[in-house]
Amino acid sequence: MNQVPVIELQGICTSFRGFAVHQDLSLQVHAGQIVGLLGGSGSGKTTLLREILGLHRPDAGLVRLFGVDLNDPDVELQRQLRRRLGMLFQHGALFSALSVFDNIAFPLRELHCLDEDWIRRLVHLKLAMVGLGNGHGKLMPAELSGGMVKRVALARALALEPELLLLDEPTAGLDPDRSQNFVELIGDLQRELGLTVVMVTHDLNTLAGLASHVAVLADHRILAFGTRDEIMTVDHPFVTGFFGADRRKLL
Amino acid sequence: MSDIPRLRVESGTVVLSGPWTLAEMLPMLDLLRSGLEAVPASVRHWDLSAVSRLDSAAAVLLWRSWQGAWPASLAIGPLHRQVIARVAELPQEMPPPPVAFVHLPEFLGRQVLKALANLRGLITLFGQLLLDCAYLARYPGQIPWREFSANVYKAGALALPVTALVGFLIGVTISYLSALQLKTFGADVFIVNILGISIIRELGPVLVAVLVAGRSGSAMTAQIGVMRVTEEIDALSTMGISRSIRVVLPKIFGLTVAMPLLVLWTSSVALLGGMLAALLQLDLSLVYFLENLPRAVPVANLLIGLGKGVVFGFVIAVVACHFGLHVRPNTESLSANTTSAVVTAITTVILVDAVFAIFTRHVGVPQL
């Protein structure tokens, strides 16, 4: 699996109403890496994530996932590609009209290949994976607490056992204890399933607990990409400012 | 990724190889399933050491084909054994979630209770409205004039084109169809009576009510509903601003004021359409039509029409606000409540119209 990079971005340019967000941005993520995407507010982290998902088309540049161009016109190929990635939205984006069980079962049912018994077993497995019990399946998303919404959303993102998992602020809005649990949960899953993970986060603890690699997004491009230790030594006002006093804690 | 999941039986051992993941299995799922089913029960040796990836979907498939028990001998990597072990920990029987049967009496009872709850909610809202009016009479500085005028503009001024178009077309249609009948009796001049009474007294108000219920009523329910879902209503309360005075009251009074004006406008345009059709069909001049209109249609009819407009506007807004305030935070509830608001508003309007017809049956009918 070391030949084709999981994510390959080349020369991405994006602008909103003449205001440039990305200029000639390039990034390569390989299988098994956990990449933390850092950047100031408004530096285009979420936009970049949306571009990787194909929800937003950059003005120029190339996005390849698993070596497949996202602009490829082959609809079936695009569908297969989407099955290989899972996304955890910042606010969960659970289907509010479906129960927790049906939310997780939804992507499985959409395959139209699995029987109900199979789907039930898989949903229970996923629920157990994110530390939720059988009884939670009947609840509606509106009845869940913030942390549970994130867990269910993660279970749904993992329903198809994707090779690539994208996380947008996975621990934002959780208390430190829960966010530590969540970090451990994602870390365990990554080891078990051999996922490639890209996450946007502001939280240093999440970054320290999870990321194997760090990409710094500043000045409209990827300023630095490397392992955590390498990034520590980068001398740039944003990086030094961001890590600041916490640099010791991370190491 | 050139590799595919494979299965073969050799000398009493089932050998699996390749990536056994959902994505890889999908194109050949039926083949693999029939392959697994074809494995004779006597074969109790499984070799999974050549499997490169194994996900839980494949683990469930294997576990089911093993009928919920570990095979006699299993060669497998420790990581993959963990995956299967997790599946093995699940309860053997997965009962489907119980399907709730709906009994007819229970269903009817529920509907009645729901209707009663809605009625209660409407009465509560009405009471709240009276209390708010009393409060605003004591503190006139807090009357939300800006919201009120914004609602008059949104529900009234912006509805002018669509009500005019529909009114004009209805006027033309009625005039044309009546003219065909009247011609056969030689009673051409009575087109003035027919158009005047039917449009001013009945059709104008009801037509506008149906249009406004669909246009502004649904918008009010959706707006208040989304404000509830996004907790904007709660944010208002925390700032010490009454949601009923700031959100509900301007909508109700805005529509109550805008509706009679819309009725007047629509009735006029409908009459214009009727007049033009009469001119073309019966050669009835516009001047003759206008001169005879006051004689054929006593002014009481106009007052009844405008009165209906006031009541209909009030009813539509109250119903819309009631359903908006009872939206629960999910998309299903939002759509259900918007539908209920429009259906209930139109039904109530027709009901009120019937009541009007009964109580005003002696008023405004020209004596010939």
Side-chain angles (χ1 to χ4, degrees), chain B residues 112-128:
Chain B
V112 170
L113 285 181
K114 223 160 84 180
L116 286 178
N118 277 331
L119 190 66
R120 200 185 139 184
L122 283 171
I123 292 171
T124 314
L125 191 61
F126 187 68
Q128 180 67 46

Side-chain angles (χ1 to χ4, degrees), chain A residues 25 27 35-40 214-219 221-226 231 234 236 238-239 242-243:
Chain A
L25 178 151
L27 176 68
V35 178
L37 194 57
L38 289 184
V214 176
V216 180
L217 186 61
D219 303 341
R221 61 197 174 89
I222 297 289
L223 194 74
F225 178 71
I231 293 299
V234 171
H236 182 276
F238 174 75
V239 180
F242 191 90
F243 293 113

Side-chain angles (χ1 to χ4, degrees), chain B residues 326-344:
Chain B
H326 286 81
V327 168
R328 282 185 303 279
N330 63 66
T331 48
E332 195 76 8
S333 168
L334 186 63
S335 76
N337 274 34
T338 312
T339 312
S340 306
V342 175
V343 172
T344 314

Side-chain angles (χ1 to χ4, degrees), chain B residues 178-228:
Chain B
S178 315
L180 286 180
Q181 301 293 320
L182 291 174
K183 236 180 182 173
T184 53
F185 296 108
D188 296 10
V189 290
F190 281 100
I191 189 90
V192 183
N193 299 46
I194 292 184
L195 278 182
I197 295 275
S198 66
I199 288 176
I200 293 176
R201 188 178 172 126
E202 190 61 41
L203 272 172
V206 172
L207 202 64
V208 175
V210 171
L211 281 176
V212 166
R215 193 184 166 279
S216 308
S218 60
M220 285 178 185
T221 308
Q223 193 191 9
I224 297 180
V226 171
M227 281 178 83
R228 264 185 65 83

Side-chain angles (χ1 to χ4, degrees), chain A residues 96 115 117 121 161 192, chain B residues 33 55-56 64 86 92 331:
Chain A
S96 60
D115 56 63
D117 175 73
R121 280 169 199 269
E161 312 239 338
E192 273 177 37
Chain B
R33 280 167 107 168
D55 73 358
S56 47
R64 287 204 306 185
R86 252 206 322 263
Q92 288 301 330
T331 48

